[in-house]
Amino acid sequence: MPAAEEAQQLQVTATALGPWPGHDPVEAARIIRGELGSPHLPFLAELPDRGVGADAIGRTASLLVEMAVDVQPYGWRIVDRPGRDLTRARSALSTDINVQADVAGAEDTPAAEFKVQLVGPLSLAAGLHLHNGERALIDYGARRDIAASLAAGVGEHLGRVASAVPGARLVVQLDEPDIASVLAGTIPTSSGYRTLRSVAGQEVADLWRVVVDALRAAGAAETVIAVPEIEAPFEQILAAGADGIAVPLKALTSRQWEQLAEAVEAGKRLWAGALAVENPASELPRAAEVADAVWRPWRQLGLPAASLGTLRITPSAGLEGYAPSGASAVLTRLTHAADALNQLALG
């Protein structure tokens, strides 16, 4: 491992989860890159306020190979041939990557790392609908096909991102916001009168592995799976071969912290959602408070200060509900919290 990369990996770094306010990808890219300078992790912003195709499901579905989608009143639907909605989603993503290339090209010191976000295969299957209007999650074959199609599409996507940020170490965040409901069998059918059958934990791990392996083969240096803290399936994430876990900290149980400590000791990365952002109107906590939300349980579990280098600090959720200035302030607070943790790691 090059010395510069090793040094970077031994520092606590900051990043955000992807969703960003507004409609202007140029403004977003400049703010994010300005706030998340080295050693922190800038990312390709998602701007859901732009509408159809800029949402997380449409954005990821635009990467699917041999599987087209369109928009219906109930959401995104798998269809036989591409149409206007899919073209719009692909165009928005291409614009964002081109903007990132322009921003990166104007920099004197390029980013050492860069992150992209994708919806994971289970939440994607929950968000896509079959021809009959039912969620694709209901069908084992559809779940498998979606994972395979996504795996087939990530190579070209990462190649385009790599061209936009030459030399950067590529990091991928697989978002699974619906995974607890998928595993519990509480996602409603299209009629709303019943719920879809739960998906077995082994199948979840297998489908994740299909995508994780494809990302690694496509050049991803790090892949983490992001999940809510309630009933977070850490065992399945690790079984899928992911490099780390991204999770909000607020409601983690003692048992979950113990599982995370075991993962850290096994060499996995923890992306800690330590900065609460659910209420954009509330005042941000001080950087010391954010750092303490990690440091206290870290020490209580007996983890060494030196292992803080496996950590990334993130907000607890996306920042699309903020004004751009507020989202920028969140990034500033995250980098200050990372600095505080780095000081603690040094003793």
Side-chain angles (χ1 to χ4, degrees):
M1 180 185 299
E5 182 176 337
E6 184 174 8
Q8 179 151 355
Q9 290 191 351
L10 293 176
Q11 296 182 67
V12 180
T13 55
T15 191
L17 298 178
W20 192 262
H23 299 79
D24 187 348
V26 176
E27 178 190 49
R30 287 176 175 165
I31 290 174
I32 291 166
R33 189 65 186 107
E35 294 293 343
L36 297 178
S38 181
H40 304 295
L41 179 60
F43 56 92
L44 190 66
E46 300 171 357
L47 302 170
D49 287 349
R50 285 188 297 182
V52 172
D55 59 293
I57 294 292
R59 196 172 173 89
T60 299
S62 74
L63 305 179
L64 297 175
V65 173
E66 296 183 356
M67 186 176 290
V69 293
D70 71 4
V71 176
Q72 296 297 312
Y74 48 77
W76 287 93
R77 177 186 65 169
I78 298 171
V79 293
D80 294 329
R81 59 184 61 85
R84 181 178 58 186
D85 298 325
L86 182 56
T87 298
R88 185 174 176 180
R90 287 173 173 168
S91 176
L93 184 54
S94 291
T95 295
D96 292 350
I97 294 172
N98 292 339
V99 163
Q100 189 60 52
D102 292 341
V103 171
E107 293 178 335
D108 294 328
T109 305
E113 297 185 298
F114 191 76
K115 175 172 74 79
V116 295
Q117 306 80 223
L118 301 172
V119 177
L122 279 307
S123 295
L124 191 58
L128 294 177
H129 299 259
L130 303 173
H131 288 275
N132 62 5
E134 193 51 85
R135 296 178 190 273
L137 187 70
I138 197 172
D139 183 84
Y140 169 76
R143 298 194 297 266
R144 182 188 57 199
D145 290 347
I146 287 169
S149 181
L150 180 58
V154 296
E156 181 180 351
H157 179 53
L158 287 193
R160 293 170 63 203
V161 174
S163 296
V165 286
R169 179 179 183 268
L170 293 185
V171 178
V172 179
Q173 171 190 318
L174 276 181
D175 290 322
E176 287 284 7
D178 297 321
I179 194 60
S181 298
V182 168
L183 287 164
T186 57
I187 289 183
T189 59
S190 58
S191 68
Y193 291 118
R194 59 186 181 89
T195 57
L196 300 180
R197 182 178 299 176
S198 63
V199 178
Q202 183 60 55
E203 182 187 343
V204 168
D206 290 345
L207 294 180
W208 280 343
R209 181 171 285 279
V210 167
V211 179
V212 169
D213 286 351
L215 288 166
R216 191 166 288 130
E222 179 182 339
T223 299
V224 302
I225 298 179
V227 295
E229 68 272 35
I230 306 301
E231 303 297 329
F234 297 151
E235 291 180 9
Q236 284 81 10
I237 292 175
L238 300 178
D243 299 300
I245 296 167
V247 64
L249 300 187
K250 183 174 62 174
L252 286 180
T253 65
S254 297
R255 173 57 186 148
Q256 286 177 312
W257 266 111
E258 290 168 1
Q259 289 177 302
L260 291 173
E262 292 169 4
V264 169
E265 290 173 337
K268 301 297 183 181
R269 298 201 72 148
L270 171 61
W271 292 24
L275 175 55
V277 294
E278 285 79 7
N279 183 5
S282 64
E283 186 176 348
L284 291 175
R286 294 182 299 110
E289 294 173 14
V290 179
D292 190 57
V294 178
W295 179 246
R296 244 183 315 105
W298 201 269
R299 298 303 287 158
Q300 288 169 356
L301 289 163
L303 289 168
S307 66
L308 282 169
T310 64
L311 190 71
R312 295 194 196 274
I313 296 291
T314 78
S316 58
L319 303 178
E320 66 272 31
Y322 281 75
S325 60
S328 177
V330 169
L331 298 188
T332 300
R333 193 61 48 91
L334 288 168
T335 59
H336 290 170
D339 291 343
L341 283 165
N342 281 319
Q343 291 300 313
L344 291 169
L346 292 173

